[in-house]
Amino acid sequence: MIEVNHGEFEDPWRGPLPMTEAPWIHETAVVKNSRMGAWTMVGQRSEVFLSDLLDYAYLVKDAEVFNAEVGKFANVASRVRINPVNHPMWRASLHHFTYRSVSHLMGDNDDEEVSNWRNQHRVVIGPDVWIGHAAILMPGVSVGTGAIIGSGSVVTKNVPDYTIVAGNPARIIRRRVTEDVEQALKRIAWWDWDRAALIAAVPDFRNLDAAAFAMKYDLK
C-alpha cells in the first residue's frame, strides 16, 4: 500500500510542487474505498468512490468519480463527472426512499438491488486519455487508449482508441493519429515503461510528434 500525501497546491496550474511517488490528495478532496497508484493526484474538492486511479493519473479539481478505473497517465480536467449514478427507471418511483429507506425513516433496512445494479456498470478509461472540462461519462462506458473527450461532452457510448469525440451525445470528430501510428504506439506501450525509461525519453516526448516517436521506438 502506498502512503498518501495530503496538502495544498503551491501552484494552481502545476499541482503540488514537487509531485511525489505517494498518491497526493488535496485536503479538501474525498477519496473512499478506492486505490491509487504511484504519482497520482486528486485536486481540490474532488470526490473519488469505489475507483482505481492507476499510475500518474490525475484529477484537477471539482471532479467526481464513482466506480471507475482511471488508466495510467489519464488527464482529467476540472468539473468532470465519471459514472453519475442512474435511478431505477423500472420502478414505480425513481426516488431513493425506495432503496435508502432507513435514512428516510421509512423502513428498517435498505434495498441493495439498486446499488448492486449500479456497481455492475463500471466505467473503464484507458491509458493516456484526456477528458476535457465538465465532460460527463455515463455508466458503463469505456474510453480507449489515447482518446480525447471534448469539454462539456456527454459520453454515452464506448470511445475507440486514439479518437477525438465531442458533443452531447459525444460523437467521433476525427482520429488523433493514423491507424499505423496507433498500432505502433500500442506496441510501444510507453505507459508501461519504468520511470527511468520515461525520464530518458522526455526529450523525445517533447520534440517528436506521435508519428516520429512511433517510428523511433517501434521495434516490430
Side-chain angles (χ1 to χ4, degrees):
M1 180 65 68
I2 298 177
E3 182 182 352
V4 174
N5 289 328
H6 296 264
E8 295 184 357
F9 285 109
E10 296 181 31
D11 182 329
W13 299 107
R14 297 185 180 180
L17 299 178
M19 296 286 290
T20 62
E21 182 175 4
W24 191 93
I25 302 173
H26 193 273
E27 60 185 9
T28 62
V30 177
V31 177
K32 292 185 177 180
N33 300 319
S34 297
R35 298 180 297 180
M36 297 181 62
W39 303 96
T40 48
M41 186 185 80
V42 177
Q44 299 104 308
R45 299 177 300 278
S46 294
E47 298 181 355
V48 181
F49 299 100
L50 295 171
S51 295
D52 297 326
L53 269 65
L54 305 188
D55 296 350
Y56 296 93
Y58 68 86
L59 316 177
V60 176
K61 60 182 178 180
D62 297 305
E64 297 182 43
V65 181
F66 167 74
N67 190 24
E69 178 181 300
V70 182
K72 294 180 180 181
F73 296 91
N75 312 271
V76 181
S78 301
R79 299 188 301 280
V80 166
R81 183 72 187 270
I82 298 175
N83 205 350
V85 295
N86 281 328
H87 287 248
M89 295 179 287
W90 63 90
R91 292 186 170 181
S93 174
L94 300 170
H95 197 276
H96 51 49
F97 83 88
T98 66
Y99 50 94
R100 294 180 182 169
S101 305
V102 174
S103 61
H104 287 272
L105 304 179
M106 298 177 72
D108 296 328
N109 61 350
D110 289 333
D111 179 8
E112 295 184 359
E113 179 187 6
V114 175
S115 60
N116 291 338
W117 168 64
R118 289 170 172 171
N119 291 339
Q120 293 171 7
H121 294 82
R122 189 170 177 84
V123 169
V124 178
I125 299 168
D128 197 37
V129 167
W130 174 20
I131 304 176
H133 289 76
I136 300 173
L137 278 61
M138 297 303 289
V141 301
S142 64
V143 180
T145 299
I148 297 174
I149 297 173
S151 298
S153 298
V154 179
V155 179
T156 60
K157 297 181 179 179
N158 295 344
V159 178
D161 298 339
Y162 287 99
T163 56
I164 301 172
V165 304
N168 180 9
R171 293 182 173 84
I172 295 175
I173 305 300
R174 63 178 176 86
R175 296 182 56 86
R176 253 191 73 194
V177 297
T178 66
E179 292 185 17
D180 288 344
V181 171
E182 174 186 331
Q183 294 306 314
L185 290 172
K186 289 178 180 178
R187 287 191 293 268
I188 295 166
W190 61 261
W191 44 86
D192 291 330
W193 291 358
D194 62 29
R195 189 165 175 83
L198 289 168
I199 292 171
V202 164
D204 289 332
F205 280 108
R206 290 179 176 178
N207 298 315
L208 301 180
D209 65 14
F213 188 94
M215 182 177 297
K216 178 173 181 177
Y217 287 94
D218 185 21
L219 306 176
K220 297 179 184 178

